[in-house]
Structures are given as C-alpha cells and as structure tokens.
Amino acid sequence: AAAAEAWSEAQWEEAEEAFIMADCGTETALRLVSEAKKRRHQPPLPALKSVMLEMLARKEADYFPPDKPFVLLMIGVNGTGKTTTIGKLASMWRGEGKRVVIGAADTFRAAAIEQLSVWVERSGAELVRQGHGADPAAVAFDTIGRGVAGGFDVVMIDTAGRVQTDKGLMEELAKVRRVINKALPGAPHEVWQVVDGGTGQNAVAQVEKFRAVAGTTGLVVTKLDGTAKGGVVLQLSDRFRLPVRYIGVGETLEDLMPFDGAAFADTLLP
Amino acid sequence: NLTDKLGDIAHRLQGNARVGESELDATLREMRLALLEADVALPVVRHLISEVREQALGADVAKSLQPGQVVVKILHDNLTDLLGGSRRPLKLDKIPSVILLCGLQGAGKTTTAGKLARMLATDGKKVALTSVDATRPAAREQLQVLAQQIDVPYLAGDGSDPVAMADSALDKARVSGCHVLIVDTAGRQVIDAELMDEIAAVDAAVAPQERLLVLDSMTGQTALTVTEQFHQRVPMSGCILTKTDADVRGGAALSVAHITGVPIRFVGTGEKIDAFEAFDARRFAGRILG
Ligand SMILES: Nc1nc2c(ncn2[C@@H]2O[C@H](COP(=O)(O)OP(=O)(O)OP(=O)(O)O)[C@@H](O)[C@H]2O)c(=O)[nH]1
Ligand SMILES: Nc1nc2c(ncn2[C@@H]2O[C@H](COP(=O)(O)OP(=O)(O)OP(=O)(O)O)[C@@H](O)[C@H]2O)c(=O)[nH]1
Ligand SMILES: [Mg+2]
Ligand SMILES: [Mg+2]
C-alpha cells in the first residue's frame, strides 16, 4: 500500500508548481517538496501537510491581557482591508458582550473617517475621531484615554495605509506605537498587520519592514474569498514566527474567520 | 539581483570554448527563479524562458565575450517588447467619452479615477467623475472629496443599482457637455458570478471608449487569472498598475501583457493625486529583473 502511495518525480514537480502558483514562493515550494520526500513513513499528501503545519507559527489562544482595555493596533499597506477588518472584529467582540471603542487614526485618506464611522455604527462600537489632517498619534492617545475612562474592553486603532518604502510614514507608525505605549503601559497589547491574500512575494518585505517599526505580534490575511490562495503565509509564519489570527473572506461584518492552519494547508495541497 | 546572479554563470560560460545548451540551461534556470520571485505568473515564465532559449541559441551566444550579459539582454528585450506592445494614447474621440475602471477590492480604482481626471483636466479636457460603487461605505464620498480637490465636477448617478447609476450619470454627462466621464466601480472578485455579471452590465450600459483594469502591482500569481477573467467579461483596452512606489518587483504586469495584449497605460506612484505617470516599458522591465 505504501508503494502505491509514493509519487513519481513528475508528480512531485507538479506539486512544486502548484505551490508556486499558490504564491508560496520558489524556495518554500522546493522546501515543502524536499522535506515531504524525506518523510518516507508518510504518503505524499499527509507529508506535505505536516511540513506546512510545522511552518505555521503556533499561537497562544488568548491574546487578551488580564486587565482591560485590550489595545489593538491595526497596520498594513494601502487597501489591504484594515478598516473593514476592524469593523468585523468589533462586531465579533460586540457579539461576545464586549464594549469596543475605535480610534480613527487615518487622518489622511479621503473619506477614511467616514468609512470607519459606518463600520463603527454597524458593529455597535464607539468612535473617537479628530479633524481630517490631525496627528494620528494624538487620535490614538485620545482613544486610549476614552477606552480607559469609559471602561471599555477593547480599544482598536485604525491607521492609514502606507508602503514600507515610505520612511516618513514608517516613522509616523513608530511614533503612533510609542504614544500608545505612553498612554497606557503595556499597550499596544497586540499589533496586527493586515495582508491582502492576493499579495505575492512583496508580503515578506512588507511584514519585515512593518515589524521593525511597529512590533507586529500577529497577522490578518484578507480577501481569501477570491482566487488567491495566500500561500505566502507559510513564509510569513515560518520566517517571522507571527501567527495568523484571522482571515477575511468577504466584505460584510460576518466575513471573518479564525485562522485554521489545518484547513489552510488543505487549500494549498495540490 | 538577476544581473549579479547571472554574472557568476556568465563567468562560467566564458571559460568554455563554446556555450553548450547545458550552460545556457543553467542560466535559464536562474532566470526562471528570478522571474518567479518577481511574481511573474508561472505560465508566463515558461513562455518567456522558451523564447529566450530559442533566441539565445539562435544568437550563438558563445561568440560573445559576455555570454551571460547577452542572455540577460535577450530577456530584457523580450520583457520590454511584451510590456511595451501596442502603445497608444487614450481613445477619447466621442463626446462624452467614457472611461470605465474595474478591478479587485482595494486595488486603487477610486484614487486612480481622481489621478486620471486630474491628468486629463490638466491636458485641457472637460472631465467629470462618477462612482457606481453602492456597496463600500463612503465610497462615493471618497471620490467626491477627490473631485473637489482637483476642481472636477462629480456627477451623481441616481438610485442604488450600479447599472441605473451608470446610465443616469452618463445622461448627466451628455447634458453637461463634458468630454470625458470617468466611471469608478466597486471592487470585486472574479469568482463572484453576480458581481462579474454586474460589471458586464455596467459596461453594456455606458459603452466605454476605454475599459481599464486597475491592478495592484504587488499582486502575486493570481494576476493571471484575475486579468483573464476580467478581460473575458469586459474586454480591457488598457491597464493601470498601482502602488509601484512600494519595492514591488511587479511581475503581475507581465500577466496583463501576456494574457490580454493590452497596454499598461499608467502607473500609480503614490497616494497623492499627482502621483501618476505614463508607463515606461523598458524601465519597468529592468525593475522586474531586479
Ligand atoms: N472580497 C473581500 N474584500 C475585502 C476583504 N476585506 C476587505 N475587503 C475590501 O477591500 C477594500 C479595501 O478595504 P479597506 O478596509 O478600505 O482597506 P484599508 O486597508 O483600510 O485601506 P486603506 O485605509 O486605504 O489603506 C474594500 O472594498 C473592502 O470591502 C475580504 O476579506 N474579502
Ligand atoms: N502608495 C500608494 N497607494 C495608493 C496608490 N493608489 C492607491 N493607493 C492607496 O490604496 C488604497 C486603496 O485605494 P482605493 O482607491 O480606495 O482603492 P479601490 O480600488 O477604489 O478600493 P475598492 O473601491 O474598495 O475596491 C488607498 O489607501 C489609496 O490611497 C499608489 O499608487 N501608491
Ligand atoms: Mg482604511
Ligand atoms: Mg473604490
């Protein structure tokens, strides 16, 4: 039975190409195949799956700190889904009876505050905002103040999208983080980078550079309801040991799922 | 980068009296890896490598003092040809000419609509903007803010159905006598049948002179499927690559060129409304090569 399970070289190559097409990257695709080949006690598909699971960073189930509020900073490149994800997370926590306040720290992009305020309303959260063009760090500071004074369970800070090559905006992000920490020691308890599931190898540079300035503690991968498989997640998880907390699978409040490594690995398998 | 990597192989090639196919194949393997790492879709990579192989053998690379460099140049030329094919200005001869923007969620359509409007207005055209995005919160407001920034009229479509909105906006455009109407649409996934029917219906309603695919330059392997599927429902006449200010290699650009043969017209080079340039094929080819 074991002999029947073994793959020909051509089949292994086919698997490697499937991983490349899933955005795993050439090195990872090669590594998945070469590692799985070594596991002679396992048939090919389970072997590949076990290698993938090893690459995925383990996460402690509970990211909430012992005392409230739990402060979460959301970061990421332009258009990845930060604002929408904040709405989804708020809705999820509201459903658990938690009180949520959200800071509109994207004070730059056209109608960013208006967009966030719709999500705040839909999810039953509260909004802290200042004028368009205000200092994002000041908004973050105010929001934490409101979160503490109002006895909220969760404080979320929405930030403007930025590309990792923009030194000024990366410094701004570092400042937002510092100010959050000043406002509340221990905060931000979590910093999640939102990654578009359709992103190619640039995701690695994104996570690397953002983490250097913001101290990323987790990832959210969005738009996995499309054709993209998000295979780059294997690299992100393996290289940076960052757990994927949630995945976005659509544009409405309910379209958020906890990341399930085993299910994810299944979608990547050829 | 690729040129350095190939420098080593070139060194090896130079030592030989004639460049055998195996030495060439080693070079091509490095190229294949470099192109994949640059997010060029696998089927496109296969096509390019076979082209380069044929031309390199034909060019008798062995005769060159720098065989590795010659092969790189062949690849660079192939990329440039593929990317630069069929360059032509926007077709805006009808009054009003409609430009329809389509693409995935978050690609940069709304921002690009503003950039395009600003560019055309600077060129002396009478431009108007409209959004038929009835789903994303504050989508229409976003475009209205941009329109205001560049002092270009925003024409509001009536109702909440994208096709009806597009229709009524076009009527208003005709009445207003504007030369160009730029139609911003909601982002969508190509496997969403309903939304793909919708974009085809919007297209039918406004019969655009230009249908532009707005694609995030950091898109990975799915750029091929995405381009293919959009092109199938709404025959694209061009593409705009966004967020090229990130350190993205931009291999997705080749998928567009390879699948549709449509020209990449412009690139978005930043968040500001003036961060917009004409696409330079040779320079972009160099960037893909790293
Ligand atoms: N299909 C799909 N679309 C999504 C998902 N998450 C977000 N989107 C869409 O992606 C687009 C961008 O989302 P935003 O929340 O504005 O992204 P952002 O990161 O806040 O963008 P910026 O603030 O401009 O950087 C919107 O159209 C969202 O509806 C997802 O999981 N699936
Ligand atoms: N750095 C950079 N950001 C860009 C560029 N083009 C657009 N953006 C940003 O990308 C994000 C998404 O842009 P939008 O215009 O909202 O994208 P969209 O395609 O209209 O999104 P949906 O309507 O939700 O599908 C915004 O933060 C823009 O400012 C660009 O060329 N460079
Ligand atoms: Mg946002
Ligand atoms: Mg838009």
Side-chain angles (χ1 to χ4, degrees), chain A residues 76-85 88 106 109 112 115 119 158-162 194 221-226 247-252 255, chain B residues 105-107 133 136-137 142 187-189 271:
Chain A
V77 167
N78 306 74
T80 51
K82 298 176 290 300
T83 304
T84 310
T85 300
K88 295 172 182 178
D106 178 354
R109 205 208 69 210
Q115 179 191 10
W119 287 119
D158 188 14
T159 59
R162 66 203 69 219
V194 179
V221 182
T222 57
K223 308 177 199 173
L224 289 182
D225 48 308
I247 61 172
V249 291
E251 301 192 75
T252 74
D255 294 322
Chain B
Q105 286 92 347
D133 183 347
R136 170 173 158 154
Q142 184 185 358
R188 65 204 66 228
Q189 293 291 331
E271 286 196 74

Side-chain angles (χ1 to χ4, degrees), chain B:
Chain B
N1 65 36
L2 183 62
T3 319
D4 300 331
K5 272 198 205 147
L6 295 182
D8 309 327
I9 301 193
H11 209 68
R12 248 181 289 141
L13 289 176
Q14 263 167 270
N16 298 320
R18 74 168 264 95
V19 173
E21 292 196 20
S22 62
E23 288 88 350
L24 178 61
D25 284 342
T27 307
L28 294 178
R29 265 197 299 281
E30 283 297 321
M31 278 187 171
R32 179 179 181 274
L33 283 180
L35 289 170
L36 288 171
E37 282 301 313
D39 290 327
V40 182
L42 185 56
V44 184
V45 174
R46 285 197 200 111
H47 164 80
L48 279 168
I49 295 297
S50 79
E51 285 293 305
V52 172
R53 185 167 198 280
E54 201 173 316
Q55 292 164 30
L57 290 173
D60 201 355
V61 166
K63 295 232 177 76
S64 151
L65 288 172
Q66 298 259 305
Q69 306 293 16
V70 174
V71 181
V72 174
K73 176 159 194 312
I74 291 174
L75 178 59
H76 196 154
D77 290 344
N78 271 275
L79 291 183
T80 306
D81 290 344
L82 187 55
L83 291 171
S86 56
R87 280 289 300 276
R88 65 162 203 278
L90 292 175
K91 181 167 172 294
L92 304 173
D93 47 352
K94 192 157 184 267
I95 306 281
S97 285
V98 176
I99 299 177
L100 180 70
L101 300 182
C102 335
L104 299 176
Q105 286 92 347
K109 298 175 292 300
T110 304
T111 311
T112 299
K115 292 177 177 184
L116 198 50
R118 179 191 161 279
M119 186 191 75
L120 293 173
T122 312
D123 273 354
K125 295 244 180 315
K126 197 155 172 278
V127 193
L129 285 164
T130 190
S131 164
V132 299
D133 183 347
T135 35
R136 170 173 158 154
R140 279 165 281 176
E141 285 90 317
Q142 184 185 358
L143 189 57
Q144 282 161 1
V145 169
L146 296 177
Q148 213 170 38
Q149 264 176 32
I150 55 174
D151 198 20
V152 158
Y154 178 88
L155 303 176
D158 305 323
S160 61
D161 161 53
V163 177
M165 290 164 80
D167 227 18
S168 55
L170 183 55
D171 285 342
K172 290 184 178 173
R174 286 192 186 111
V175 165
S176 78
C178 75
H179 299 156
V180 187
L181 175 67
I182 298 173
V183 181
D184 179 23
T185 64
R188 65 204 66 228
Q189 293 291 331
V190 297
I191 59 170
D192 189 326
E194 201 175 315
L195 288 186
M196 291 310 279
D197 287 345
E198 179 187 276
I199 194 74
V202 169
D203 180 57
V206 295
Q209 272 58 50
E210 291 281 352
R211 301 168 172 95
L212 306 179
L213 177 68
V214 178
L215 187 68
D216 192 325
S217 60
M218 63 163 146
T219 310
Q221 295 282 313
T222 55
L224 197 61
T225 310
V226 167
T227 306
E228 220 165 35
Q229 296 294 314
F230 267 111
H231 192 52
Q232 208 182 73
R233 299 308 303 271
V234 175
M236 293 295 154
S237 59
C239 168
I240 300 178
L241 272 188
T242 61
K243 308 177 204 171
T244 60
D245 43 314
D247 53 2
V248 214
R249 299 276 291 279
L254 288 171
S255 293
V256 177
H258 179 74
I259 281 292
T260 65
V262 303
I264 296 172
R265 299 299 186 70
F266 305 99
V267 286
T269 58
E271 286 196 74
K272 303 222 167 73
I273 202 142
D274 57 356
F276 202 54
E277 294 172 15
F279 179 68
D280 180 331
R282 180 116 209 126
R283 205 168 72 203
F284 208 86
R287 154 188 198 137
I288 292 177
L289 289 175

